Amino acid sequence: MTYREKHLVELVDDAGQAVGETSVSAAHQPPGQLHRAFSVLLVDPAGRVLLQRRAAVKTRFPLRWGNSCCGHPAPGQSLAEAANRRLHEELGAGPVELTEVGVYIYYAEDPSTGRVEFEYDHVLRANVPADLPVHPDPDEVAELRWVDPVALEAELDADPCSYAPWLGGVVNRLLRPSGSAVASSDLTRTPPRLPADDAAERSGGR
């Protein structure tokens, strides 16, 4: 078990209201416990997004392509603080200004590790320069690449097994913001309790 598997996450209900806490490891054991998470998309001036291929040692969906950075805020921790911490740890990047573009609730089972993702996922966008310096940690990231998000949607349909199961919903929120976006100034406070549009949406089946 990696040290992060022992960290605490915030358990929530379908409306994003906190209902308790547990460890990262416990939250991802079958059948899974719904908990707060975030997915960061770094967007360059041409509109491309940075994808990372998750390292082989990841406990959930290793070697699949995902968004720029993912993680979990600690109970009561702001999204901005948690996301910038993970950007630094995974990519050696940041801090960046973040804007929330939507919330995505999803459920997915990893056939290779037996772990479960069941997350109330805050999708965060950051506009970054084309020459953003990054220094990925090889224990976190196997590869990086910049892609057009519209073309990525087609790739996700054609070859879904190469991608993390949450990526489609995350890219959808980027391209079609829910209208409940939260400014970066609000992200420095306690994670907002926003209603998740399409709250019944589940990826990967139950």
Side-chain angles (χ1 to χ4, degrees), residues 34-45:
L34 182 61
H35 58 280
R36 194 179 308 284
F38 59 81
S39 290
V40 177
L41 286 162
L42 301 181
V43 184
D44 76 2

Side-chain angles (χ1 to χ4, degrees), residues 14-33:
D14 272 4
Q17 299 292 331
V19 296
E21 58 187 48
T22 190
S23 69
V24 170
S25 178
H28 292 87
Q29 296 294 333
Q33 300 180 70

Side-chain angles (χ1 to χ4, degrees), residues 105-155:
I105 298 179
Y106 71 92
Y107 181 95
E109 299 171 357
D110 185 351
S112 66
T113 68
R115 306 293 179 88
V116 168
E117 296 277 9
F118 189 18
E119 299 194 327
Y120 188 95
D121 192 21
H122 298 264
V123 181
L124 309 176
R125 172 182 179 147
N127 294 326
V128 299
D131 58 352
L132 175 75
V134 292
H135 305 282
D137 180 348
D139 289 333
E140 301 276 2
V141 180
E143 296 179 64
L144 294 172
R145 64 185 171 108
W146 291 93
V147 300
D148 176 83
V150 175
L152 177 58
E153 284 195 311
E155 292 180 29

Side-chain angles (χ1 to χ4, degrees), residues 3 26 31 41 45 48 50 63 75 78-79 86 94 107 114 124 134 142 147 149 158 161 174 189 192 205:
Y3 73 96
L41 286 162
R48 299 180 307 166
L50 182 65
L63 296 178
S78 75
L79 291 168
R86 289 301 293 150
Y107 181 95
L124 309 176
V134 292
V147 300
C161 291
L174 174 71
R189 298 193 284 271

Side-chain angles (χ1 to χ4, degrees), residues 32-97:
Q33 300 180 70
L34 182 61
H35 58 280
R36 194 179 308 284
F38 59 81
S39 290
V40 177
L41 286 162
L42 301 181
V43 184
D44 76 2
R48 299 180 307 166
V49 298
L50 182 65
L51 297 187
Q52 66 154 277
R53 191 178 184 214
R54 295 164 63 80
V57 296
K58 290 280 193 179
T59 59
R60 298 175 298 280
F61 299 98
L63 296 178
R64 295 207 193 187
W65 287 95
N67 49 282
S68 310
C69 173
C70 292
H72 311 93
Q77 184 182 31
S78 75
L79 291 168
E81 179 185 359
N84 273 304
R85 182 196 72 227
R86 289 301 293 150
L87 279 168
H88 176 72
E89 291 172 350
E90 292 190 14
L91 299 178
V96 297
E97 292 292 323

